[in-house]
Amino acid sequence: MQSRGSSARLSGMAFRSRVPTLLLSMFATFASIYVAGRLWQDAQNRVYLIKELDKITGQGQSAISVDDTLKIIACREQLKKLSALEMELAAARQEGFTSKRTETTYTNDAKSKKRPLVVVGILTKFGRDKNRDAIRKAWMGTGAALKKLENEKGIIARFVIGRSANRGDQFDRAIDNENRKTNDFIILDKHVEAPEEFPKKAKLFFAHAADKWDAEFYAKVNDDVYVNIDALGATLATHLDKPHVYIGCMKSGEVFSEPGQKWYEPDWWKFGDKRSYFRHASGEMYVISQALAKFISINRSILRTYAHDDVSAGSWFIGLDVKHVDEGKFCCSSWSSGLSPSLSLSS
């Protein structure tokens, strides 16, 4: 016969053994309720998804995946939130919470950010600082005058140059020093300056300019050409209604097939009768519209270049729906001994 003490101990042990069992039972109950609730919620979601699909597709069964459906519903929720925000904004305006000063400032900013008329890239080389200075004095300007040209006439002018094959040498340093004083260069860091790479530099200029400036036109000019800025602006203004326009002094030109000749073309055999190029603008200066500059920017890695930049540019537009404009004012009309050519852009 057990004593009272031993009975008490047994009762205590039985009570302690019941506590974990009770906790496990409670946990199992809550887990069952949670799982059942999630299953019910999932079922409700599926019903909702099916109804949404029926509304969208007008069919009795799902025509797209559940993932796509979730995306559609998410989009609808975003639209609902956007609509609610628009309603709140409209209500706030009615109650006078919109600042008139802010609206005026925005309007003025929009006007001041008018699209530039043209970005002029003056392709230059190392050791041509005298040519650049002459252009700055003749028509481009420096400092405030250059800024005025941009703000009042919408004409952005920059010298375009690459880097030396010996990166960081005296040529690179000279250009960097000059640019620190004038701030009027586009320096193509990934382009190596070399005579045979000139056509690639023209392509990179158009691509860079199209990426940096949202202009109506983009012009390539040599660094020995003097331009009548007012006449250039007036001429380009007459072509604003042409989205795909290529303007220049159009020519065909002879293809030189002998390696020793000055204008030798390694790919001479590709051009028709092997004697004449296709129609293209002379390289002293030519202008393209924004759409064509964007085309060059997008396709820069696959656009072919030939021995000359003007022929290369002309080749890019042959297969496109482009308006070729033979502009006599873009032809170099006067060549004098010891003087640089000037474009006859007279008003």
Side-chain angles (χ1 to χ4, degrees), residues 79-104:
L79 288 174
K80 288 179 182 177
K81 291 179 182 179
L82 181 60
S83 298
L85 289 173
E86 288 176 346
M87 291 175 66
E88 290 178 8
L89 179 60
R93 283 175 175 167
Q94 288 181 355
E95 294 177 13
F97 289 112
T98 301
S99 171
K100 293 182 179 179
R101 182 176 177 275
T102 301
E103 290 179 350
T104 303

Side-chain angles (χ1 to χ4, degrees), residues 4 29 41-42 44 59 83 129 140 167 190 197 216 219 227 237 241 247 271-272 303 320 322:
R4 287 184 180 181
T29 301
Q41 186 177 8
D42 287 344
Q44 289 294 104
Q59 299 176 0
S83 298
D129 50 304
M140 181 175 164
R167 190 65 180 262
K190 295 182 180 181
E197 299 297 325
E216 299 286 354
V227 180
D241 60 335
I247 312 169
F271 299 99
L303 289 177
L320 304 181
V322 173

Side-chain angles (χ1 to χ4, degrees), residues 134-169:
I135 284 177
R136 291 183 182 110
K137 292 176 182 178
W139 62 270
M140 181 175 164
T142 58
L146 182 62
K147 203 68 178 175
K148 184 178 180 181
L149 183 66
E150 297 178 14
N151 295 335
E152 295 186 4
K153 299 185 183 296
I155 297 175
I156 298 171
R158 296 289 187 274
F159 292 105
V160 183
I161 198 166
R163 287 298 189 182
S164 171
N166 302 314
R167 190 65 180 262
D169 63 8

Side-chain angles (χ1 to χ4, degrees), residues 67-258:
D67 288 338
D68 289 337
T69 306
L70 289 172
K71 291 177 183 178
I72 292 170
I73 293 173
C75 288
R76 285 190 168 188
E77 291 300 320
Q78 292 296 327
L79 288 174
K80 288 179 182 177
K81 291 179 182 179
L82 181 60
S83 298
L85 289 173
E86 288 176 346
M87 291 175 66
E88 290 178 8
L89 179 60
R93 283 175 175 167
Q94 288 181 355
E95 294 177 13
F97 289 112
T98 301
S99 171
K100 293 182 179 179
R101 182 176 177 275
T102 301
E103 290 179 350
T104 303
T105 302
Y106 175 80
T107 302
N108 289 338
D109 287 344
K111 289 180 179 178
S112 65
K113 293 179 180 179
K114 183 179 178 182
R115 177 181 290 180
L117 177 64
V118 60
V119 178
V120 180
I122 308 156
L123 272 61
T124 188
K125 303 174 185 177
F126 295 129
R128 305 271 285 186
D129 50 304
K130 291 183 179 180
N131 288 58
R132 293 190 289 272
D133 286 339
I135 284 177
R136 291 183 182 110
K137 292 176 182 178
W139 62 270
M140 181 175 164
T142 58
L146 182 62
K147 203 68 178 175
K148 184 178 180 181
L149 183 66
E150 297 178 14
N151 295 335
E152 295 186 4
K153 299 185 183 296
I155 297 175
I156 298 171
R158 296 289 187 274
F159 292 105
V160 183
I161 198 166
R163 287 298 189 182
S164 171
N166 302 314
R167 190 65 180 262
D169 63 8
Q170 59 179 350
F171 298 109
D172 279 349
R173 291 196 299 271
I175 291 298
D176 288 335
N177 290 335
E178 185 178 346
N179 190 38
R180 274 191 287 271
K181 297 175 183 177
T182 59
N183 193 30
D184 57 6
F185 276 86
I186 293 174
I187 299 177
L188 304 172
D189 285 321
K190 295 182 180 181
H191 176 74
V192 176
E193 281 293 319
E196 65 274 12
E197 299 297 325
F198 197 76
K200 290 183 181 178
K201 183 162 75 170
K203 178 174 68 172
L204 291 176
F205 156 66
F206 284 120
H208 174 87
D211 293 343
K212 184 176 177 63
W213 289 286
D214 181 31
E216 299 286 354
F217 300 99
Y218 301 83
K220 176 263 174 180
V221 180
N222 286 345
D223 69 354
D224 56 358
V225 172
Y226 298 156
V227 180
N228 183 323
I229 286 296
D230 291 331
L232 173 64
T235 300
L236 295 181
T238 64
H239 299 292
L240 287 171
D241 60 335
K242 303 178 184 69
H244 306 147
V245 68
Y246 171 38
I247 312 169
C249 182
M250 295 294 169
K251 64 176 185 178
S252 292
E254 182 181 355
V255 177
F256 294 93
S257 58
E258 295 298 328

